[in-house]
Amino acid sequence: MDHDAMDLAEARYELVISVDARRSGEYDDVDKQRMRERIYRVLEAAFTHAKVARDAVHMEDRGDGVLLSVAGRIAVTRLLGLWMVEVHENLRDENRGLSVPLGLRVGMHVGPVRHDGRGISGRAVDLACRLADSPLARRLLDAERADLVLVTSQSLYEDVVSSGGKFIEPAHYSSARLELKEGEVTAWFHLPGRPAPEIPTAAPAAPDADRADDVDDVDGVDDARDVSDARGADDAGGVDDAPDVDDARRVDGEDRADAPRAHYTVHGDMSQHSDNVYQQPVHIGRITGDAGRRKG
């Protein structure tokens, strides 16, 4: 029997890790080469310190990141715990003195992986890549001014993270719903060395600048859209709108979607004017007393 052929045809249950660099499209050619060198130094040193044998790790270059899979004989808790701690510490060391610190987004999922002569494939690979590339991961990395954000799948959180372990603290993860090409999924977000991140309740479209590194993405998974997590309230500021706000937003019986949301306290008369064009000077308001008499 050709064991090599059998291995190619069969899927192996492995941990998939997708690592992407923040805003890689903003680096020039010289700095991009240095960025890539830093990424590999960070990851390889972490594998060494976590005592993960090199022959247990499959590694593919992705231009502005790295795609990895780790053999099932290596405990996933070691990668989620000690290895992530080492990645974070190595990254902090690399960033000391840099005017533009390197930021990394890491997606993790465990599932069936197929190997061939060109690399790895499978739905587990797709999901890990989409988690790392999600707009919410990008925004958290920027909003929190963090060096690193880890995003795990729901199944990985339930099966491994939730039980805790050495350097694994479930309470430091926050969940959110993400809408991917394949549909909605739950993901868990973690900023190493920090408490559980605050997940935004609104999901504004990512500005063009936030997508600058997409020009270098070669994994083809660049359009995940995140939706608010279940913890959020409808009002991002935590204050309920008063019942009369909607009335204040209506003019001539039409809803004004772009009108400001505000409260008014009025002593006397109030009028609301919108989208008017005046061809000559006008006076808006009450005229009383002598001020209303025309002088001859």
Side-chain angles (χ1 to χ4, degrees), residues 22-23 26-27 31 38 94-95 97-103:
R22 170 173 50 197
R23 301 180 183 275
E26 298 180 5
Y27 289 86
D31 286 336
R38 291 187 185 103
E94 289 285 345
N95 282 337
L98 293 181
S99 58
V100 180
L102 173 62

Side-chain angles (χ1 to χ4, degrees), residues 199-211:
I199 301 297
T201 58
D208 291 342
D210 289 342
R211 305 293 293 178

Side-chain angles (χ1 to χ4, degrees), residues 19-21 35-36 39-40 43 60-67:
V19 181
D20 282 340
M35 173 201 76
R36 287 163 47 80
I39 292 175
Y40 279 95
L43 300 180
E60 294 181 25
D61 184 78
R62 291 299 175 110
D64 59 348
V66 183
L67 177 64

